[in-house]
Amino acid sequence: MTKPPLTLYLAAPRGFCAGVDRAIKIVEMALEKWGAPVYVRHEIVHNKFVVDGLRDKGAVFVAELDECPDDRPVIFSAHGVPKSVPAEASRREMLFVDATCPLVSKVHIEAQRHFDAGLQMVMIGHKGHPETIGTMGQLPEGEVLLVETVEDVADIEVRDPSKLAFVTQTTLSIDDTKDVIAALQDRFPAIVGPHKEDICYATTNRQEAVKAVAPKSDALLVVGAPNSSNSKRLVEVASRAGCSYAQLVQRAPDIDWRALEGIASVAITAGASAPEQLVNEVVDAFRERYDVTVELAENAVENVEFKVPRVLRQPA
């Protein structure tokens, strides 16, 4: 039986960013250095496949520090943690390694600098997301006001409109965030922004790659986890860029083949915490059903690399 022809556009950059790659390496190197078990507070990154693989190697994932014994290493996830977490680990004399992405740490430093200068903070982010919780937890309670939408900006009550600054979660939609920033600047003309945009290079690059490929694709699939902020934003970006069918899938078995009947082209990308192995799995699933022509749709080249903490580079 003849397979129907299909063009697959592989968006690039896609998949692992430098912060995710570093966080996974930290867990693997900790297991090599100290042996299993090594405890990890929260998912190291938002991807079940990655987390399950590390669990198989001896990582134990927990929600809070009180689930960790004092005598085993604990690692903090790439999303960052409130200041109270390392403070508690220090009090208990635990061996801990912070896998917070350096670009998230940059936002933490900005927030502290503005606070030290007497400014109240506004954070643009998603309520309940680990990165938002971690960033807001850098400052005393009540010092950071959270907004998610343009509508939220109208409702916040600030201490002094002339003494305000804002930061953003690193994995937001670039376009949505611009609108929220514009609303903040319109209502509070004196508000101070970051020296350099907080949304990270990897989020920006993946969204721009999707914008470039979406208009010429009948469908676009984002390989990623449902709790991954940057992956969900890629679906939204694709829809707004003109792709009539954009869907998030964790693995190849999640593809809704009936929704794809009659299509001639599909774009594939992956969130920053999704491994390339899962992209290849999706491509192979298409090859089983279609006569596939693969085209690389490259929008930027990434060569960023972050060092792992010194404690892991030193001999045991």
Side-chain angles (χ1 to χ4, degrees):
M1 186 173 166
T2 306
K3 295 177 183 177
L6 180 76
T7 301
L8 273 188
Y9 297 112
L10 285 182
R14 64 179 178 277
F16 280 0
C17 62
V20 164
D21 194 48
R22 172 181 179 268
I24 294 167
K25 275 183 191 167
I26 285 172
V27 179
E28 291 174 337
M29 291 174 73
L31 285 164
E32 286 174 19
K33 182 166 185 171
W34 295 302
V38 165
Y39 286 76
V40 185
R41 184 185 178 277
H42 292 181
E43 291 187 344
I44 187 69
V45 297
H46 282 158
N47 188 275
K48 184 178 184 300
F49 181 82
V50 171
V51 169
D52 287 348
L54 293 171
R55 188 180 284 117
D56 290 343
K57 294 177 181 179
V60 178
F61 293 89
V62 298
E64 297 297 344
L65 273 189
D66 58 17
E67 299 172 59
C68 304
D70 292 346
D71 61 349
R72 294 304 303 164
V74 61
I75 295 167
F76 305 146
S77 82
H79 308 103
V81 295
K83 275 187 176 176
S84 58
V85 175
E88 172 63 9
S90 296
R91 187 192 68 77
R92 289 172 56 184
E93 298 184 347
M94 301 173 79
L95 173 60
F96 64 89
V97 184
D98 190 354
T100 299
C101 172
L103 298 179
V104 175
S105 296
K106 177 181 79 74
V107 178
H108 292 181
I109 293 166
E110 278 174 16
Q112 185 66 53
R113 180 170 54 81
H114 289 313
F115 175 71
D116 292 344
L119 304 183
Q120 188 178 19
M121 295 299 308
V122 178
M123 178 166 190
I124 306 169
H126 294 299
K127 185 177 181 180
H129 189 278
E131 184 185 331
T132 300
I133 293 169
T135 300
M136 293 181 71
Q138 299 305 302
L139 302 182
E141 193 161 345
E143 285 300 318
V144 186
L145 305 172
L146 180 65
V147 297
E148 295 192 56
T149 64
V150 169
E151 291 72 26
D152 291 341
V153 174
D155 296 331
I156 57 171
E157 296 180 10
V158 304
R159 210 169 33 235
D160 182 345
S162 68
K163 293 183 178 180
L164 282 178
F166 73 86
V167 293
T168 80
Q169 189 177 323
T170 63
T171 54
L172 300 179
S173 159
I174 303 163
D175 297 326
D176 287 348
T177 306
K178 281 179 184 172
D179 292 341
V180 179
I181 291 171
L184 280 170
Q185 292 171 332
D186 185 52
R187 186 176 172 201
F188 307 111
I191 197 167
V192 177
H195 287 311
K196 192 179 176 188
E197 193 172 43
D198 287 337
I199 294 175
C200 82
Y201 79 92
T203 297
T204 301
N205 286 347
R206 280 150 191 72
Q207 289 182 19
E208 293 299 329
V210 163
K211 285 180 186 177
V213 79
K216 61 181 180 181
S217 307
D218 295 329
L220 185 142
L221 299 183
V222 178
V223 181
N227 59 340
S228 165
S229 174
N230 76 86
S231 297
K232 290 195 288 187
R233 300 295 81 76
L234 291 174
V235 176
E236 295 167 0
V237 168
S239 297
R240 290 177 186 172
C243 186
S244 58
Y245 180 83
Q247 206 67 346
L248 181 71
V249 295
Q250 293 199 72
R251 305 283 302 264
D254 299 326
I255 298 170
D256 183 354
W257 297 106
R258 285 180 298 179
L260 300 178
E261 285 177 5
I263 59 169
S265 61
V266 176
I268 298 174
T269 188
S273 49
E276 186 68 6
Q277 183 178 342
L278 300 188
V279 175
N280 294 335
E281 183 184 274
V282 168
V283 172
D284 289 343
F286 275 99
R287 289 190 191 279
E288 289 174 12
R289 293 165 175 80
Y290 296 89
D291 179 15
V292 169
T293 301
V294 175
E295 291 189 21
L296 180 66
E298 189 170 63
N299 203 63
V301 176
E302 293 178 350
N303 52 16
V304 179
E305 189 174 343
F306 296 132
K307 285 184 178 179
V308 299
R310 187 180 290 112
V311 67
L312 292 171
R313 290 182 269 130
Q314 294 168 336

